[in-house]
Amino acid sequence: MRLARPLRRGLAPAAVLCAFVLAGPAAAVEAGQAAPAFALPTAKGDTVALDKLRGKVVYVDFWASWCGPCRRSFPWMNEMQQKYGGKGLVVVAVNVDKKRADADRFLAQNPAGFTIVFDEAGATPSAYDVKGMPSSYLIDPAGKVTFVERGFLDGSKAVLEQKIAALVAAAKN
């Protein structure tokens, strides 16, 4: 799978946002659908499988080292994992770089307090039909996608956190 690298080619973030808006829905997987399964390795060689996370609220984020908005999303995902992790949230960030060294450099500058997995082959973003970075999927404890976020917009953080908090609260009941 080959993903566009608009920021590397010099397009302004506003142009990237326009590309998301003008392209319409960027993902085949939408709210209400079952999240496609995956089993991907961590840096330590452990495997994270989505089906093993049933019963948890899962935030799956697709990212790449060349993605400018991904740099801004990592602190927010760290905050969400810290705030809601003990209540049932698991943040899983799927790196799609072809070269692991690129991801490692990014992670050295943007530490992750959540689970990072690697998909150099691109099978998982292909299953989700991801067309741009970052793309995120909020998945309920039953494995159903409840919300899709294309791009990372500061103005959407509060709404997304409300959705996370509601799912976590509902899962406890």
Side-chain angles (χ1 to χ4, degrees):
M1 175 179 173
R2 181 166 164 76
L3 297 171
R5 295 182 180 205
L7 293 178
R8 182 175 272 178
R9 293 192 177 118
L11 291 179
V16 174
L17 177 59
C18 286
F20 278 118
V21 173
L22 295 175
V29 177
E30 296 294 338
Q33 296 178 328
F38 61 80
L40 296 168
T42 67
K44 294 180 181 178
D46 299 324
T47 299
V48 174
L50 185 60
D51 65 341
K52 300 292 184 199
L53 298 175
R54 284 279 165 94
K56 304 268 186 190
V57 174
V58 184
Y59 183 81
V60 176
D61 178 75
F62 292 92
W63 67 280
S65 62
W66 45 263
C67 168
C70 296
R71 284 176 176 65
R72 290 192 349 268
S73 70
F74 267 56
W76 181 82
M77 289 188 292
N78 281 329
E79 181 184 341
M80 294 301 100
Q81 183 63 60
Q82 184 176 11
K83 190 170 182 179
Y84 297 102
K87 299 175 183 176
L89 174 69
V90 178
V91 176
V92 178
V94 180
N95 177 262
V96 300
D97 284 307
K98 298 288 183 204
K99 296 178 186 173
R100 174 69 180 278
D102 292 340
D104 291 342
R105 277 191 297 278
F106 178 97
L107 292 168
Q109 296 173 356
N110 304 280
F114 45 86
T115 302
I116 299 286
V117 294
F118 300 91
D119 189 353
E120 295 167 359
T124 309
S126 181
Y128 283 76
D129 197 25
V130 171
K131 296 201 185 332
M133 297 290 127
S135 291
S136 305
Y137 300 80
L138 185 58
I139 302 168
D140 71 13
K144 187 181 289 188
V145 174
T146 63
F147 187 75
V148 178
E149 178 81 353
R150 296 174 187 94
F152 181 76
L153 303 173
D154 291 335
S156 299
K157 292 189 295 190
V159 169
L160 190 49
E161 183 174 356
Q162 288 173 351
K163 291 180 182 302
I164 290 169
L167 279 176
V168 167
K172 292 254 182 200
N173 295 332

